[in-house]
Amino acid sequence: MSFLTRATVAAFFVFALVSAARGQAPVQTSAQPTAQPPDNDFYALRQPAAAGDAQAQFALANHYFNGVGVPQDYSQALLWYNKSANQGFAPAQNLLGYMYQRKFGVPRDYKRALAYYRSAAKQGYALGEYNLGVLFEGGVGVKRDYKQALDWYRKAADQNLPQAEKQVAYFYQCGYGVKQDFAQAQAWYLRAAGHGDSNAENQLGYMAEEGWGQPKNYAEALFWYYKAAEHGNDSAQENIGYMFQNGLGVPTDYGKAMSWFDQAAAHGNSDAENQLGWMYQHGQGMEPDDAKAVRWYRMSADQGNRRGIDNLGAFKEVLEDRGSGVWEAANASVTDPVIARAQRWATIQDLQARIAGLEGDAQNQDDLADHLEHTGKGKNDAITKIFNAVGSVPAAKYRFEAEKYRDEAARLRQELAQLERQNESAASVPAP
């Protein structure tokens, strides 16, 4: 079963929300600074941005960050976010915090991330408040402090930010920084679900299924899981599959279970990958297939899923006990469109992370070069002149390294684009 474990950082763009995983678009209120309307294309934004319009600068940075209307360029995104943030525009400050926390085109720097989130939060910007809560909850760059995390989540939730409402609910569910209270948890989940948060919908299903603060109710659980699944929530898709696999509130139906697991696995859900491994190992709804079982278990294990790791290890022992060469045969390549789709998803995530990391490394090299090139500028003493002459050599080396990183990032972008085209052209897994 899949359920919420912790919050993920969120960053609001003009045309996209980027998050650690499956974040929900925020509800903007009149108290929040708003970004340039999305119908202003890249070229129309350049003049007002150059003239110093903070909103236009922010919107222009979004284009560079996402590669919309222009090749993706984190250095240009950083430039324009900085221009906007330096004028006190809270959404840009929040995005800079996001970049430094997640190492998107800049070296990872939790202290800077914290500072930028604080700047945005001090202006009452809900996403800045929420992201501060994420840092305090996870102990990222600060000492873990559930009470402070809850305070920041409450501030953002008071502005109807759905992921903050969902996180307040989770704290009541778990008793983090507050006395455990399932009734309060359910109330906050309902509020977040009313604002469109699919993770909250999934949690309401899980609470009904487990009987937390209420009698167990499989019908209600399925109601919420289906709502979340309709919104593309892969955890809910996995939960529906699990209920059909185990006959919880519905007749056991391995075909439907597998179909739902397939959908969730296509978006990288490691629990679904583990369940598919189990079904292929034990022949639930089909003949056992050792190779497919191993492949699914391994994909789950590669994401750090504890059940996937344990099941892969246990199945390896089973296969080795069958005789020489059985384990090796089960590791043969597998031709399966669903597995291929899930593998493409994993590769895409890996490429995106590597590209962001390379751009961050390149920016770090440029920063080092800038530091050397500007050391002693404006001074004419003999020691400074000697240092500047010597310093230009390593500065050039840093520039060269930065270009190498960016060239590799460009190569990976081409590989990424090809995979994304394959994903778009691949036939969708039919809904149950």
Side-chain angles (χ1 to χ4, degrees), residues 57 77-87 92 96 100 116:
Q57 291 167 343
L78 180 66
L79 172 70
W80 289 106
Y81 282 140
N82 270 315
K83 287 179 181 292
S84 180
N86 288 340
Q87 298 190 66
L96 286 170
Y100 280 107
Y116 278 119

Side-chain angles (χ1 to χ4, degrees), residues 341 344 421-428:
R341 186 182 179 195
R344 278 197 302 273
R421 285 193 295 270
Q422 290 176 10
N423 249 9
E424 290 173 1
S425 61
S428 299

Side-chain angles (χ1 to χ4, degrees), residues 362-431:
Q363 186 63 47
N364 187 42
Q365 296 297 310
D366 279 338
D367 290 345
L368 292 170
D370 288 341
H371 179 73
L372 286 172
E373 290 172 349
H374 290 85
T375 298
K377 284 292 178 70
K379 298 181 180 179
N380 294 314
D381 59 273
I383 294 176
T384 299
K385 289 179 179 179
I386 294 172
F387 182 84
N388 286 339
V390 175
S392 64
V393 176
K397 179 182 177 182
Y398 288 134
R399 297 288 186 204
F400 177 73
E401 289 298 316
E403 285 306 308
K404 281 177 59 180
Y405 287 132
R406 290 197 172 98
D407 287 345
E408 177 63 8
R411 185 189 69 79
L412 293 181
R413 280 195 178 93
Q414 293 179 347
E415 187 178 336
L416 175 62
Q418 183 178 0
L419 277 174
E420 288 176 335
R421 285 193 295 270
Q422 290 176 10
N423 249 9
E424 290 173 1
S425 61
S428 299
V429 177

Side-chain angles (χ1 to χ4, degrees), residues 237 241 253-266 276 279 338 341 429-432:
Q237 292 166 350
D253 189 325
Y254 292 136
K256 286 185 177 181
M258 178 165 283
S259 183
W260 282 106
F261 288 148
D262 285 348
Q263 289 188 67
L276 285 166
M279 292 186 77
V338 180
R341 186 182 179 195
V429 177

